[in-house]
Amino acid sequence: LDAMFIPCQRGHRLPDAEVASKDEAPLLEESPTLIWCNPNAAYYEAMVYQPGILKFWLNRGCNLFLFNYAGYGRSSGKPSPSRVSQDGEAVVRFLRSRGVTNLGIYGRSIGGVAACYVARRF
């Protein structure tokens, strides 16, 4: 598990966690990376209480990239539907800047806003 902050437009920062599909860091370029978009009132830190979801993707060889939206957890900024979409876009741009190109996205509840926006845009 590797954690850092992603810089975003309007000056806020998003905390993230990267989980490699194998016991290696950083994310493996040959493995697909799934961007996990949290449901409302959920934080990526709470995923330790839902290990079945993490194991589902990791057992299929996917890296996971989890993040908190603006205003959630340790992130700065204030949440809004447009900000959630922009946060998803910032994550894609961040991963691409690191050479990660094999991307998928999953969103639940409010995370569906970010996932649909990113899927349509990229």
Side-chain angles (χ1 to χ4, degrees), residues 19-24 27-28 31-32 57-59 61-64:
V19 184
S21 62
K22 298 178 182 141
D23 292 331
E24 301 173 17
L27 298 180
L28 302 172
S31 298
W57 295 107
L58 294 172
N59 289 340
C62 294
N63 302 309
L64 290 173

Side-chain angles (χ1 to χ4, degrees), residues 4-5 10 14 30 35 56 70-71 73 76 81 85 87-88 97 99 118:
M4 65 186 69
F5 285 87
R10 300 183 189 168
L14 304 175
E30 68 272 7
I35 301 169
F56 175 85
S76 59
S85 298
D87 292 348
S97 76
V118 166

